[in-house]
Amino acid sequence: MRATSRRRPANRRAFLTATAATALTSAAGTAAAAPARGTAGAAPRPATADEALATLLEGNRRWAEVHSRHPHEDRARRREVAHGQHPFATVLSCVDSRVPPELLFDQGLGDLLCVRSAGEVLDEAVLGSLQFGVAEFGTPLILVLGHERCGAVAATIKQLRTGEPAPGHLSRLVESIGPAAWACRDQPGDWVEHTVAAHARRMRDTLRADHAFRPATVLAARFDLDTGLVRVLR
Ligand SMILES: [Zn+2]
């Protein structure tokens, strides 16, 4: 795994990217200059992809065992992040109401930059939001999080099985998830579950191939609704 911390722009394109992100930050009224540590006494902000992943998985274990600590929610943390943020990971997850990243990773205010779209589908707005996390806040890790029994994946499988077009804007989701579903149509077992993993890996690989995300390590994972556990996909 490539573990990187925030880097200074090394070339003109990177500089322009960082400049554009900074302008976006200013326009949005947020501030990037934030302390690297959280609430006094709390663990330091994870600085590498390895540390970020370990922190996420530790938090997920707490959550799965119903031992969440609910960190970084107190008054001191609110004051700390009111004027700046320094999230340590960017998470792309589904909009599914059962998959809120801050809860299932047991993280708090200012810890995660979360981007959510049905079925983790990528479009320009999602890509721009993910780039915001990498270019502006230097998150060393992007995690694409698929999940068990994803409705967007199930709708895609249904469309492939019946041939009935998805209504309205839902067709965008089917178009995006379709290639992964089609690629694993002959695998034995649950077609939806195979597609959940295949699609998360495909979104991961798309991000890895994009120059904008080179400064970060991009991983895919699957969230199990039954156990509450997140597993990294190889
Ligand atoms: Zn879903």
Side-chain angles (χ1 to χ4, degrees):
M1 180 187 304
R2 190 157 46 92
T4 58
S5 58
R6 186 174 185 182
R7 298 169 179 169
R8 293 190 179 282
N11 55 44
R12 177 172 169 77
R13 179 170 179 176
F15 172 78
L16 291 173
T17 299
T19 302
T22 300
L24 182 58
T25 303
S26 300
T30 57
R37 288 175 180 272
T39 305
R45 173 191 185 267
T48 69
D50 287 342
E51 292 172 4
L53 180 63
T55 300
L56 291 178
L57 295 181
E58 285 169 17
N60 175 243
R61 271 193 292 275
R62 294 195 300 271
W63 189 79
E65 295 168 0
V66 200
H67 289 140
S68 292
R69 296 174 185 164
H70 304 288
H72 296 162
E73 295 180 8
D74 59 9
R75 192 179 299 275
R77 180 65 163 187
R78 293 185 198 181
R79 278 198 295 266
E80 181 185 324
V81 299
H83 300 287
Q85 55 176 317
H86 204 195
F88 69 84
T90 296
V91 179
L92 171 61
S93 67
C94 184
V95 296
D96 194 300
S97 63
R98 303 165 295 180
V99 192
E102 286 93 344
L103 286 180
L104 63 91
F105 288 119
D106 194 22
Q107 301 300 314
L109 287 173
D111 289 329
L112 305 179
L113 189 145
C114 297
V115 183
R116 301 180 69 172
S117 68
E120 315 90 61
V121 163
L122 298 173
D123 63 12
E124 281 302 305
V126 170
L127 288 168
S129 300
L130 294 171
Q131 186 173 355
F132 197 43
V134 174
E136 179 58 24
F137 299 117
T139 63
L141 175 67
I142 299 175
L143 187 67
V144 179
L145 185 64
H147 70 95
E148 185 181 25
R149 303 188 191 105
C150 180
V153 171
T156 301
I157 301 295
K158 180 181 178 185
Q159 196 274 336
L160 292 178
R161 279 184 168 138
T162 65
E164 295 177 14
H169 300 292
L170 292 176
S171 62
R172 294 279 301 274
L173 306 179
V174 172
E175 287 172 13
S176 176
I177 300 170
W182 196 248
C184 54
R185 66 191 181 284
D186 294 329
Q187 292 183 22
D190 189 321
W191 193 5
V192 171
E193 288 307 305
H194 289 315
T195 302
V196 164
H199 176 66
R201 290 189 182 101
R202 188 166 179 271
M203 297 298 97
R204 173 198 66 189
D205 294 344
T206 299
L207 295 177
R208 283 179 175 175
D210 190 323
H211 181 273
F213 305 105
R214 293 270 167 82
T217 293
V218 186
L219 298 176
R222 173 189 178 275
F223 174 62
D224 190 299
L225 290 169
D226 297 317
T227 66
L229 288 169
V230 170
R231 175 174 60 86
V232 175
L233 299 169
R234 302 303 174 190

